[in-house]
Amino acid sequence: MSDSTATVLDVHEKPGAALWGLLSLQHLFAMFGATVLVPLLTGLNPSVALVTSGLGTLLFIALTKGRIPAYLGSSFAFIAPILAAAALPGPDGQPLGPTGAMLGAFLAGAVYLVVALCIKGFGVGWLLRLLPPVVTGPVIVVIGLGLAPVAVSMASNDPATSAYSGTHFLIAAATLVLALAFSVVMRGIFAVVPILLAILGGYVIAAFAGLVPWSGEAGMQAKLAAASFVEFPAFAVPFVTYDLPWQHFATIVLLLVPVAIVTIAEHIGDQIVISRVIGRNTLEDPGLHRSLAGDGLATMLAAILGGPPNTTYGENVGVLAITRVFSVYVIAGAAVIAVLLGFLGDFRVALQSIPVPVIGGVAIALFGVIAASGLRTMIEGKVDLGNKRNLFIVSIILVLGIGGAVVHVGTIAQLSGTALAAIVGVILNAVLPYNGGNSE
C-alpha cells in the first residue's frame, strides 16, 4: 500500500518534460476560473489578468528564492472596492471605469512592502496580535456577503435592461447546479476545477438559449475573424493609456488600501497551510517578509498593467495537498502558460463572450464560499463568542460591513464597506480590555 502522505516531488525537484506540462496545466485549471472571474465581474480585461497573474507568480517565486510553491491569482477581496472606484465620475462626467481603481491597488501593494520591512525589523508577533481571527474572520465574511447582491443581480437580471429575466435566472441556476455537482461528484483532477467545468457547461446552455450569438456583426464569428490568433493584451498603463484620477485620490485610497489588512491576513493563513502541507516553515525560511514582499510587488505590477490585485490562491494549495507534488517548477510552468494564454486573441474573444448569468451562477457559489471561509477562520482560531468582547467585535464588524456604513472624511473622501469594517475591527481589538475566555 502506498503512503498517501509521501512527497511525490519536493519543492526543488524538477519533473520530466511531459509530466511537467500536465502538472502545470492542473494548477492552471485550479486557478483559472476564479482568476478570470474577477476581471469579468469588475470590467477589467481577462487576458491582462492572466498575464499579470503569471508574471506576479514568477516574481513571487524569484523573491522567495524558489522555496514557496504558491500561485498568485486575482483577489476577490478587491472586487467591491474596484466597482466603487470605477463608478466615481471622471472629468467628462462619465464613470472612471475599473482603471480608476489601479492607483489604490498599487498603494495597497505598497502596504505589503511596508509590513514586510516591519516584520524583517521587529518580527511577526505584532502583526498576529494586530490581526487575530476575531478580526479577520468576520471581515472575510463581510467580503463574501457584501458581494452577494452583485452575484444575485448578475444571476437574475438582463444586463441590457437591468430588469429581471427568467431565462437569465434559469441559466444561472443551471450553472450553479453544475458547480455543485462537479464539486461533489467528480474525482481526481476534475475535483479541483468545478468552477471551470461549470462555466463551460453554463456557456453551452446559454448558447442554446441564444445568449451567445454566432452570426451578425456582434456575433462570435465576426469577433473571431477580427481577432488575431496572437495579439498584444490591452494593458492599461498609467500616463500612457489613461491619466490617474488625482481628483479622487483620497477616496480611492480609502476604498482600496485598507483592504490590504484583510489580504495580508489571508496571505499569512495561506503560508501557514503551505508550511503544513510541504513540511517546512515558510514563515521562517525564506521568511514571511519575503513572501509578503513578493505578494505586494505582484499586486503593484498588476496595477501598473491594468490587472486586478493578486493574492496567493488556496485552490492551488489544495492541489499541492492532494497531489503531494510540491515542485516550484510546476508552479512556474503554470505561470508561464497563463502568460502565453493572455496573448491569444481567439482565447480573449471566447472569455469575453461568457454570458453574464453564467458568471452570476458561479459567483453565488464562490461568494458564499468566501463568507464560509470567514466562519472557518473563527472556528479554527477558536474564537469564543461567549466572551462579550469577542461577540461585540464580531457583531460590529458584520453590521458595519454588510450594512454599508459610510464615514465621510472631510469633504472629498469617505470610508465604507469592508475597509471601514476592517479598520474598526482592528481598533476595537486594540482598545477593548480582555474579560476572560479565549480572546482570539
Side-chain angles (χ1 to χ4, degrees):
M1 181 180 295
S2 62
D3 184 0
S4 62
T5 64
T7 299
V8 177
L9 283 173
D10 209 349
V11 175
H12 288 104
E13 292 182 327
K14 186 186 299 183
L19 181 60
W20 190 348
L22 289 175
L23 293 174
S24 293
L25 281 174
Q26 184 171 237
H27 274 283
L28 181 79
F29 288 150
M31 69 85 187
F32 184 86
T35 292
V36 171
L37 182 62
V38 173
L40 291 174
L41 285 168
T42 56
L44 291 166
N45 189 295
S47 295
V48 173
L50 282 172
V51 172
T52 55
S53 167
L55 292 177
T57 299
L58 294 174
L59 179 60
F60 177 87
I61 290 173
L63 285 173
T64 55
K65 301 181 179 181
R67 295 176 185 172
I68 303 179
Y71 193 93
L72 274 62
S74 305
S75 172
F76 277 79
F78 286 90
I79 292 176
I82 290 175
L83 291 173
L88 294 172
D92 58 356
Q94 298 298 313
L96 288 172
T99 55
M102 294 299 99
L103 174 61
F106 182 89
L107 294 175
V111 171
Y112 277 73
L113 301 186
V114 173
V115 173
L117 287 174
C118 292
I119 290 174
K120 185 172 176 60
F122 305 107
V124 72
W126 66 273
L127 182 60
L128 298 179
R129 289 191 294 272
L130 188 70
L131 299 172
V134 71
V135 174
T136 57
V139 170
I140 295 171
V141 173
V142 165
I143 292 172
L145 296 186
L147 289 168
V150 176
V152 172
S153 176
M154 295 180 72
S156 56
N157 296 337
D158 185 338
T161 63
S162 298
Y164 174 80
S165 168
T167 300
H168 286 69
F169 180 78
L170 290 175
I171 291 171
T175 305
L176 176 59
V177 169
L178 286 174
L180 297 175
F182 285 128
S183 297
V184 174
V185 176
M186 301 299 283
R187 295 290 182 268
I189 185 174
F190 297 102
V192 299
V193 291
I195 300 304
L196 178 61
L197 294 175
I199 289 175
L200 291 174
Y203 189 96
V204 172
I205 295 171
F208 277 109
L211 296 189
V212 186
W214 176 253
S215 58
E217 293 183 3
M220 282 287 291
Q221 191 173 23
K223 291 180 179 179
L224 289 171
S228 302
F229 178 71
V230 177
E231 65 180 25
F232 202 73
F235 295 117
V237 182
F239 308 115
V240 177
T241 61
Y242 69 96
D243 294 323
L244 291 176
W246 296 114
Q247 71 274 26
H248 296 299
F249 177 79
T251 297
I252 291 173
V253 167
L254 290 174
L255 281 171
L256 282 101
V257 171
V259 180
I261 295 173
V262 185
T263 53
I264 286 173
E266 288 179 334
H267 177 99
I268 295 172
D270 283 339
Q271 293 308 309
I272 292 173
V273 174
I274 289 174
S275 296
R276 291 172 182 165
V277 170
I278 68 176
R280 63 198 69 181
N281 191 343
T282 64
L283 275 70
E284 293 182 357
D285 182 19
L288 182 61
H289 63 289
R290 281 188 171 273
S291 64
L292 276 173
D295 204 336
L297 286 174
T299 290
M300 295 168 76
L301 174 63
I304 291 173
L305 297 178
N310 283 321
T311 187
T312 48
Y313 257 28
E315 294 92 328
N316 295 86
V317 178
V319 174
L320 295 177
I322 293 170
T323 64
R324 310 299 298 175
V325 174
F326 307 144
S327 173
V328 75
Y329 292 98
V330 171
I331 300 291
V336 171
I337 296 172
V339 172
L340 294 176
L341 284 178
F343 284 85
L344 299 181
D346 292 344
F347 187 68
R348 172 189 59 79
V349 171
L351 284 178
Q352 293 177 333
S353 70
I354 299 174
V356 171
V358 173
I359 300 300
V362 296
I364 289 174
L366 286 175
F367 295 165
V369 168
I370 292 172
S373 69
L375 298 176
R376 180 179 176 180
T377 297
M378 288 189 284
I379 292 171
E380 292 182 347
K382 298 179 181 179
V383 176
D384 180 12
L385 293 182
N387 182 314
K388 292 181 180 180
R389 176 185 186 275
N390 295 339
L391 181 63
F392 277 115
I393 291 174
V394 172
S395 301
I396 292 170
I397 290 174
L398 291 176
V399 172
L400 291 178
I402 298 173
V406 176
V407 172
H408 292 275
V409 182
T411 59
I412 60 173
Q414 64 182 39
L415 231 120
S416 61
T418 304
L420 177 62
I423 291 174
V424 169
V426 169
I427 293 173
L428 289 176
N429 179 68
V431 302
L432 287 181
Y434 296 102
N435 57 359
N438 188 351
S439 60
E440 297 182 356

